[in-house]
Amino acid sequence: MQPRSSSEDDKHLALRVQATQTASLIKEKAKEDSVLIATHFDADGLSAGSIMLSALNRLSAITTLRVIDRIDQKILEDLEQVESGLVIFSDIGSGYLDIIRKILRTREIVIADHHQPLGDPAGVHHFNTHVMGFNGSEEISGAGTTYLLAKALDSRNVDLSTMAIVGALGDQQDKGEKRGFKGLNSEILKDAVDSNLLEVKQDLIFFGRQTRPIHRAIASTTDPFIPGLSGEEDRCLALLDAAGVSTKTEDRWRTIADLSLEEKQRIVEKIIAHMVSLNLKGETVLNLVGSVYTLLREDPGTPLRDGREFATLLNSCGRMDRAGLGIAIGVGDRGESYKAAQDVYVEYKATLSKYMNWVATSPGATRRGRHIVVVNGKGVIDENMTGAVSSLVSSSNLFGDTVTIVTTVTSSSDAKVSTRATERLVQKGVNLGKILQSLAPKHGGVGGGHAIAAGATVPQSNIQPLLTELEASIDGLLS
Ligand code: C5P
Ligand code: C5P
Ligand code: ZN
């Protein structure tokens, strides 16, 4: 880690003071009243909720936890029905300060979040790392933010640092050099490594390193996307054959974690040769090696052993309507919930790959604008899956360096939008969270998020005008 400048020191001090103050409030309130945790439903949100639940259990607080996919009036009214003196939001809330304050006015409210805020935080204990000057889409997740509070509650909560890393991986914040972390995330990583809970090493980055047959691990990796290999299991098998790497030992498929250094080198050489034969730049090959995060207390060969697979497992629970399983795993259940979650994981992967095939092969599924691609998932894509599809379409580079917009219709007949930019477009000034924060209310809905990833829900009749303005706003920035 780099030494800090004095202004960085000031920021860290202010963060620590605010964490301590917010933690004392939680501690005091939890002594006399029950606590409600409301957390977001993706991998980061489930990690954040698990961290807060574990921390409150350590305080012997009476706690209820609700997993929510967004904030709107109806959801807040439901939360208001739950008996509690303190409501803690994690990985969600900062974009909805006014409505939260209004509907939960009789409660003490803590928000532990990393999203771009909107509204007046007066009267709310707003613990938002982004507001405190730490970039919430690059260097600190919702789980990380919640972990900082948990650590201020009790120093023993450093054992929750692994969940903060899982959350950050779920939010794709491993965007530092060689898939490392930046800023606050790397400080949290140090807690996990120093506590002997986690190991970081440079290795092949292919997804599913603990659990997948090698050819499937290579084929299912989309970041980086390797034309001719990503999505092509047969070609990956042929490549392994050419590299002289056996795919099985006796009856068991070997995984990336089983390979020797020498075998890994042979695979990389073959991939380089493949890229050269396609006239592709070698820089993607450099991205094949990066930081891998191994959770040392988890059994080898399980998806929980690898931070990225752990995050995907949580994401699948959240997005397949089984968020409770994700929380159970997050707080340490390795029994029935874990078993059930593995089936959900298989179903999630199958659903996602069905959607991706549909996107790639149906000409009517997509519409291209100057700087955007719109996937119209109405009648096809489930409302809880738009974010996952949007992330995958964007990272798979199917449509190049564009803003990806995935839309669908929800069970309550609203239109839901999930948008993703690229790092290059964000550097050029695109801030999807800010755009949707201002456009969605104009069209009768809610919206917000990060510069690189944001979403909105609006009445179905207003989706076209919203998309037209969204597109105009992006074109205006980029032309
Ligand atoms: O609500 P939350 O902050 O946890 O969600 C952020 C979302 O943005 C995640 O679904 C994450 O996968 C996505 N994301 C992305 N590309 C990035 C950064 C985040 O798709 N570069
Ligand atoms: O739903 P999706 O995964 O596309 O959300 C991307 C990001 O935008 C997440 O960080 C999510 O919390 C945020 N978001 C929001 N308000 C919404 C929808 C999404 O802040 N109405
Ligand atoms: Zn998050």
Side-chain angles (χ1 to χ4, degrees):
M1 262 181 281
Q2 302 279 323
R4 283 187 207 146
S5 65
S6 69
S7 68
E8 281 286 308
D9 273 345
D10 292 349
K11 255 170 47 180
H12 278 77
L13 181 62
L15 172 72
R16 201 165 311 160
V17 168
Q18 211 186 322
T20 310
Q21 285 171 344
T22 314
S24 341
L25 173 276
I26 294 174
K27 229 185 255 176
E28 283 312 306
K29 202 70 195 160
K31 268 188 211 155
E32 61 197 37
D33 239 325
S34 52
V35 186
L36 168 64
I37 302 171
T39 201
H40 196 212
F41 81 143
D42 65 3
D44 184 29
L46 295 180
S47 303
S50 306
I51 290 171
M52 191 42 79
L53 184 57
S54 300
L56 289 170
N57 285 344
R58 222 167 222 161
L59 289 177
S60 305
I62 300 168
T63 314
T64 309
L65 183 142
R66 288 281 169 89
V67 177
I68 54 180
D69 66 342
R70 63 176 177 274
I71 285 186
D72 60 19
Q73 180 152 348
K74 157 119 196 12
I75 287 172
L76 289 169
E77 282 166 0
D78 287 347
L79 295 179
E80 216 266 327
Q81 296 302 309
V82 181
E83 203 189 307
S84 71
L86 168 66
V87 184
I88 303 178
F89 288 89
S90 53
D91 188 39
I92 197 160
S94 291
Y96 302 89
L97 292 167
D98 293 337
I99 183 174
I100 288 176
R101 243 200 358 228
K102 187 168 146 230
I103 297 177
L104 298 175
R105 63 186 167 280
T106 60
R107 312 291 156 84
E108 202 83 56
I109 298 160
V110 168
I111 299 178
D113 199 359
H114 67 137
H115 287 97
Q116 302 184 100
L118 186 68
D120 181 0
V124 171
H125 306 279
H126 193 211
F127 186 73
N128 180 308
T129 37
H130 188 80
V131 173
M132 290 183 250
F134 303 91
N135 188 320
S137 59
E138 289 178 1
E139 66 156 308
I140 184 70
S141 66
T145 305
T146 308
Y147 167 74
L148 295 175
L149 264 189
K151 205 173 138 186
L153 276 170
D154 187 332
S155 59
R156 287 176 299 168
N157 287 334
V158 282
D159 63 354
L160 306 174
S161 51
T162 44
M163 288 315 297
I165 295 304
V166 168
L169 288 169
D171 263 11
Q172 303 183 32
Q173 296 193 333
D174 52 336
K175 292 286 162 64
E177 208 178 315
K178 298 236 168 206
R179 304 293 293 271
F181 286 117
K182 301 185 211 170
L184 285 180
N185 277 329
S186 47
E187 293 175 26
I188 297 172
L189 182 66
K190 188 169 178 314
D191 282 356
V193 171
D194 290 349
S195 315
N196 294 320
L197 297 168
L198 199 132
E199 179 189 77
V200 189
K201 53 179 190 185
Q202 298 300 308
D203 205 338
L204 289 179
I205 209 95
F206 298 124
F207 184 80
R209 52 179 289 105
Q210 292 288 339
T211 56
R212 295 192 171 199
I214 305 158
H215 62 288
R216 287 195 49 218
I218 301 175
S220 59
T221 300
T222 52
D223 187 6
F225 187 85
I226 313 170
L229 293 179
S230 296
E232 307 276 354
E233 287 186 16
D234 290 350
R235 292 204 197 167
C236 295
L237 260 182
L239 181 130
L240 293 177
D241 191 41
V245 171
S246 58
T247 50
K248 280 189 167 180
T249 39
E250 295 169 4
D251 274 353
R252 192 178 72 79
W253 288 106
R254 298 175 76 210
T255 65
I256 300 282
D258 295 327
L259 293 174
S260 70
L261 181 62
E262 210 256 319
E263 286 175 309
K264 289 177 201 169
Q265 277 163 351
R266 292 210 299 269
I267 293 175
V268 170
E269 277 160 22
K270 285 291 169 201
I271 295 179
I272 295 176
H274 164 82
M275 310 265 299
V276 170
S277 75
L278 291 180
N279 256 339
L280 293 165
K281 277 192 252 132
E283 100 202 14
T284 309
V285 170
L286 293 177
N287 298 338
L288 295 178
V289 173
S291 297
V292 302
Y293 302 87
T294 306
L295 279 73
L296 298 172
R297 302 272 165 96
E298 304 296 342
D299 290 338
T302 68
L304 305 182
R305 178 90 172 169
D306 173 61
R308 293 190 176 90
E309 286 196 82
F310 197 143
T312 308
L313 185 72
L314 293 185
N315 218 351
S316 58
C317 294
R319 296 194 183 273
M320 303 297 284
D321 251 344
R322 303 297 301 277
L325 296 179
I327 295 290
I329 294 167
V331 297
D333 184 350
R334 299 292 175 266
E336 288 305 312
S337 308
Y338 173 49
K339 253 194 243 148
Q342 282 174 296
D343 294 337
V344 175
Y345 186 54
V346 171
E347 208 186 316
Y348 170 76
K349 283 278 151 199
T351 308
L352 209 46
S353 96
K354 182 181 80 185
Y355 293 154
M356 288 305 282
N357 273 334
W358 172 77
V359 171
T361 57
S362 320
T366 54
R367 174 176 69 75
R368 297 223 37 182
R370 245 197 320 160
H371 300 288
I372 57 143
V373 58
V374 183
V375 177
N376 178 358
K378 184 177 171 183
V380 180
I381 300 178
D382 181 90
E383 62 189 275
N384 289 335
M385 294 291 284
T386 54
V389 175
S390 199
S391 292
L392 200 48
V393 169
S394 178
S395 67
S396 69
N397 217 14
L398 263 176
F399 302 99
D401 196 16
T402 50
V403 170
T404 305
I405 301 170
V406 176
T407 67
T408 198
V409 173
T410 70
S411 54
S412 46
S413 297
D414 285 324
K416 186 177 175 203
V417 186
S418 275
T419 65
R420 301 290 183 266
T422 61
E423 280 166 84
R424 202 184 67 88
L425 296 178
V426 169
Q427 269 158 21
K428 287 187 142 189
V430 171
N431 186 330
L432 295 172
K434 286 260 161 73
I435 299 176
L436 289 180
Q437 257 176 2
S438 89
L439 286 185
K442 261 175 69 182
H443 294 280
V446 289
H450 307 286
I452 201 160
T457 304
V458 294
Q460 215 184 134
S461 53
N462 294 351
I463 182 69
Q464 280 318 323
L466 176 105
L467 288 179
T468 307
E469 282 195 55
L470 174 58
E471 198 168 338
S473 164
I474 294 164
D475 283 345
L477 273 166
L478 296 177
S479 51

